[in-house]
Amino acid sequence: MHRSASRLTRVLACAAVPVILTVAGCSSDSGKDSGTGSGNGKQPEAASSAKPSSKATAALEKAVYSTLPEPCKAVAAKTIETIVPKAKDANGTAAKSNDLSSRATCTWNGLDEAGLKGSQYRWLSISLIRYDSLASVGTGSKRAEDEYTKQVEKAKVVEGAENVKPEAAGGIGDQATSVTFTTKKDGDFANTTVIARTHNVVITLDYNGTAYEGAGAPDHAKLLQDAIAATKETVASVEAANQQKQPEQQPSPSNS
């Protein structure tokens, strides 16, 4: 009787081994999936959900330019003296802005009277808009590209414009277009608009002129030439303004 009981105990113990091994096998598989060997059945699901967060999100491209030049100093005083002779205010008139580092405008006008030879009138406006990179709307350069396109289309549909002629203007920033036209409001005006983009900044330069009291009409080609030259100066001023600001943004060297 004693032997039968002992033998029965051994049989039952052996019979239980496959069940234990099966359970252990499941735990081992779970450990491999989770990478922890803890045997927690929920672990693989947690690891799977963590995978997307482990991928670093690409940083938004930083805007190249962080400020604008003073609009009334975007072109040299000699340039103003040449293209707006006898300017009423050689220093220009700046438009009000809540943020001059993002939006700025300056205008000049002058009447050069030459007695019996008549008078020449010139008007110049330089406007600058700068865009920052924002995750919700895109990079500064892309936003500037969109604004550039809008300004070009706007220049083509000026009220009262005649003989509208848009042309690509090479060698100015990243892209540029000139639009020439004539208007007959308060005289026969020759008009030139140059729109240029340099990275995340858009420049719109308007330049026009007319003659009074028998003076010869403005040379359209000369007006365009002067407008393009002034736009190139403005592009250079944007770059210079940001080069001057660069040292302030750099961290001070470590003493260690």
Side-chain angles (χ1 to χ4, degrees):
M1 187 64 137
H2 178 69
R3 288 181 182 177
S4 298
S6 300
R7 184 177 180 185
L8 180 59
T9 302
R10 286 198 300 273
V11 170
L12 291 174
C14 290
V17 170
V19 177
I20 295 171
L21 290 176
T22 302
V23 174
C26 292
S27 298
S28 177
D29 289 343
S30 298
K32 289 178 182 178
D33 290 343
S34 66
T36 63
S38 64
N40 186 344
K42 295 183 179 180
Q43 198 64 23
E45 184 180 338
S48 176
S49 63
K51 285 181 181 179
S53 63
S54 66
K55 295 181 180 178
T57 304
L60 191 66
E61 179 186 307
K62 185 179 179 182
V64 174
Y65 295 131
S66 59
T67 192
L68 294 175
E70 291 184 46
C72 296
K73 294 182 180 179
V75 294
K78 282 187 176 181
T79 300
I80 297 300
E81 187 179 340
T82 300
I83 68 177
V84 189
K86 302 293 178 67
K88 187 182 296 184
D89 183 353
N91 294 319
T93 302
K96 292 182 179 179
S97 173
N98 293 329
D99 183 3
L100 289 172
S101 69
S102 295
R103 187 179 294 265
T105 299
C106 190
T107 59
W108 297 260
N109 68 83
L111 182 64
D112 186 8
E113 298 177 284
L116 297 176
K117 294 181 179 180
S119 304
Q120 291 285 344
Y121 175 80
R122 297 291 184 273
W123 183 84
L124 172 69
S125 171
I126 298 175
S127 296
L128 305 98
I129 303 177
R130 184 187 63 83
Y131 290 94
D132 284 317
S133 294
L134 299 173
S136 58
V137 287
T139 66
S141 292
K142 180 60 174 66
R143 296 175 69 196
E145 282 183 36
D146 294 341
E147 178 65 20
Y148 167 82
T149 301
K150 289 179 184 177
Q151 290 296 328
V152 170
E153 293 306 311
K154 183 179 178 181
K156 293 178 184 177
V157 292
V158 173
E159 184 178 355
E162 300 177 358
N163 307 311
V164 179
K165 186 179 180 181
E167 287 185 324
I172 309 175
D174 295 301
Q175 54 187 152
T177 298
S178 68
V179 182
T180 58
F181 56 94
T182 58
T183 55
K184 297 192 176 193
K185 184 178 180 180
D186 299 326
D188 293 331
F189 276 81
N191 301 267
T192 296
T193 299
V194 181
I195 304 97
R197 179 183 71 84
T198 174
H199 295 293
N200 57 310
V201 173
V202 177
I203 298 161
T204 301
L205 184 144
D206 291 306
Y207 182 48
N208 64 52
T210 191
Y212 295 115
E213 301 168 353
D219 183 334
H220 289 221
K222 183 65 166 59
L223 286 179
L224 177 58
Q225 179 183 343
D226 289 341
I228 287 176
T231 305
K232 287 181 177 179
E233 274 193 55
T234 306
V235 169
S237 292
V238 172
E239 183 178 352
N242 285 273
Q243 285 177 341
Q244 291 172 4
K245 191 173 181 179
Q246 201 69 16
E248 298 176 9
Q249 297 177 334
Q250 293 177 347
S252 57
S254 174
N255 294 326
S256 59

